[in-house]
Amino acid sequence: MDVWSHPELAAAVAADDWGAVFRAYRKLTGLSQTKLGERVGLVQPDVSDIERGRRRVTSSEVRRRIVAGLRIPRDLHSADRARAAGPVPALSLPDTAPDVDLLARLTSAVDASHRVDAASLDWLDRLLAEHRRAEDFIGSRPLMDVMRRQLRTVMDLHGGARGALADRVVRLASEHAQFLAWMSSDQGDTAAALAWYDRSHEWALEAGDANMAATTLSMKAHMAWGAGRGTRCVRLAEAARWSAPGTSLGVQGMAVQMAARGHALNGDAGAARRLLDEAQTLISRASGHPEDEPVWMYFYDETWFTLQHGMAAMHLREWHEAVDHLTAGLGALPDEYRRDRSWFRSCLAHALAGAGEAAQAASVALATIPDADAVGRPHAWNELHTTAALLMRGGAREARDVVDALGQYG
């Protein structure tokens, strides 16, 4: 009997529930967690964590290995990708997502006799900028509640704002929603992230902020990329370009490189490299005029593009090219970007393992684990587990050190 004809397995793949896939597959085949892990390139503790729901499969590399290792029929996982490329279905939003009529409910409760001045909004702009910088170092976990309260403060000001100041309040609310979306995504709360991005996009359009409207679409493309959905990533990145004309060079460059990474994820090297060249030109031009970029693009420069180029090379399995770009980018990345250093260093460990440089991969992974744990970024953690699995599959003697270290922080 073909196990993939079993409805329980087919339903688990369709739901993108890899824990259920593992449990059902092992029940039908009698495989142990260790043997199943050998098929998909995961160590036994990782298989156990996925089955128990303690770890989610968000890495496209891990997803591909599962599909290949378990020989999941194309019609099952291709259908899943086709659904993912279509419109986002209606969401049942968690408590961390915005209320349906948040704007109307809060603004109607504010005493309209209160007047908002430009100095107050300038202060809130500076406060948001400081929180963004803080998140670069401490990660998103400590800031979620703070930023939700801060957004409510912004919304409370809307009832007393008039004319251009009212537009500024809506723009500021859009920026807060975008930041909350980013942090929700960083913590693996996909539903809340999508809801906040949608709200940010709506408010950006209301405020006439083309740069933020485009940025929200690029960041949704980033989420699609992180979920292994290359086609959706490309479509959203393209929408970021054509749906919001008049955006800055940096915002355009971000959208183009996101499309490039989507094509790389799909294995289309030609399209990926063509768009990477275009993005390089845009971002180089933007770097010459940083004053023309929106404030939230403070981090996005040629260093970040070099790192993103390395990510695209990883998807194309150009391991040595990926190592070169990631090494160069990390060498220029300031220390205050602790969260991103842990992320890109975990990617470098993965690329080194892919290139067959086991000792270097293990060394980078071991040095990265404490920071990845401290800033609480699930994506970095997944890359480190992927590195451990690759080292195990290659029979590297250093693999056990990485597995043991991950277990200590587990």
Side-chain angles (χ1 to χ4, degrees):
M1 170 185 167
D2 178 10
V3 295
W4 294 107
S5 65
H6 195 283
E8 184 179 352
L9 262 180
V13 174
D16 204 30
D17 186 344
W18 298 104
V21 169
F22 283 5
R23 291 191 300 272
Y25 190 89
R26 291 202 310 110
K27 181 173 69 175
L28 292 169
T29 63
L31 282 181
S32 67
Q33 290 182 340
T34 299
K35 290 297 184 182
L36 187 144
E38 290 175 356
R39 292 193 180 187
V40 300
L42 292 170
V43 293
Q44 183 274 328
D46 287 348
V47 175
S48 176
D49 284 348
I50 291 170
E51 286 193 3
R52 296 182 182 185
R54 294 188 299 199
R55 179 187 171 197
R56 299 173 62 188
V57 177
T58 59
S59 165
S60 57
E61 170 66 21
V62 174
R63 189 186 302 266
R64 282 197 297 267
R65 291 208 309 270
I66 294 172
V67 169
L70 300 186
R71 298 182 179 179
I72 300 177
R74 176 173 290 274
D75 60 328
L76 291 182
H77 65 86
S78 293
D80 182 54
R81 286 199 300 269
R83 284 193 299 274
V88 177
L91 298 172
S92 176
L93 301 180
D95 292 338
T96 52
D99 298 334
V100 175
D101 291 314
L102 178 65
L103 178 60
R105 181 170 60 82
L106 289 177
T107 57
S108 64
V110 176
D111 181 0
S113 64
H114 177 68
R115 291 292 179 265
V116 180
D117 57 37
S120 298
L121 299 183
D122 289 344
W123 182 83
L124 285 167
D125 273 331
R126 292 195 298 273
L127 188 60
L128 176 58
E130 289 300 320
H131 282 138
R132 289 186 187 276
R133 297 279 186 171
E135 195 258 346
D136 289 331
F137 188 78
I138 66 176
S140 56
R141 277 187 306 200
L143 290 172
M144 291 296 297
D145 288 341
V146 173
M147 294 313 302
R148 281 195 290 267
R149 290 195 297 270
Q150 192 166 309
L151 174 58
R152 287 183 177 272
T153 298
V154 172
M155 301 310 302
D156 285 344
L157 296 175
H158 188 271
R162 298 291 181 271
L165 289 179
D167 289 340
R168 276 196 65 184
V169 172
V170 177
R171 175 192 59 76
L172 191 56
S174 176
E175 292 184 26
H176 278 72
Q178 181 267 335
F179 189 35
L180 277 164
W182 161 255
M183 292 193 295
S184 296
S185 175
D186 185 59
Q187 290 300 307
D189 193 345
T190 301
L194 289 171
W196 280 120
Y197 277 134
D198 286 344
R199 183 51 54 91
S200 176
H201 185 78
E202 177 186 335
W203 285 339
L205 294 177
E206 182 180 342
D209 191 339
N211 282 320
M212 179 53 77
T215 297
T216 58
L217 292 173
S218 286
M219 297 311 295
K220 288 177 75 172
H222 176 79
M223 287 185 65
W225 167 82
R229 296 168 175 173
T231 300
R232 179 167 176 75
C233 174
V234 171
R235 289 176 178 175
L236 286 166
E238 289 174 345
R241 300 189 72 186
W242 59 256
S243 65
T247 55
S248 72
L249 291 171
V251 170
Q252 293 174 44
M254 176 187 283
V256 175
Q257 66 85 17
M258 276 310 319
R261 284 162 59 193
H263 282 298
L265 188 59
N266 284 343
D268 188 344
R273 296 191 183 284
R274 174 178 56 79
L275 288 171
L276 286 170
D277 288 344
E278 183 180 351
Q280 176 77 72
T281 300
L282 287 166
I283 293 165
S284 295
R285 291 172 59 196
S287 296
H289 298 280
E291 69 280 2
D292 293 338
E293 297 301 317
V295 291
W296 62 86
M297 292 289 288
Y298 67 93
F299 68 93
Y300 205 82
D301 56 14
E302 291 181 284
T303 294
W304 246 265
F305 176 73
T306 299
L307 292 163
Q308 303 293 352
H309 198 152
M311 299 298 300
M314 283 181 65
H315 289 310
L316 295 172
R317 298 182 178 275
E318 298 288 347
W319 300 115
H320 293 288
E321 180 184 346
V323 168
D324 289 344
H325 282 295
L326 290 167
T327 301
L330 282 163
L333 191 64
D335 290 339
E336 57 263 30
Y337 291 106
R338 184 187 184 193
R339 179 206 63 216
D340 293 288
R341 288 186 69 83
S342 71
W343 161 240
F344 288 115
R345 286 176 74 189
S346 68
C347 294
L348 175 59
H350 180 176
L352 285 164
E357 303 291 344
Q360 286 183 268
S363 176
V364 172
L366 290 169
T368 304
I369 288 171
D371 273 352
D373 178 71
V375 298
R377 187 162 191 182
H379 306 298
W381 210 243
N382 281 338
E383 289 297 323
L384 290 167
H385 278 273
T386 298
T387 301
L390 287 175
L391 293 174
M392 290 283 286
R393 290 172 65 188
R397 66 177 185 275
E398 299 87 355
R400 178 50 56 186
D401 293 336
V402 178
V403 172
D404 289 346
L406 287 168
Q408 289 175 10
Y409 285 88

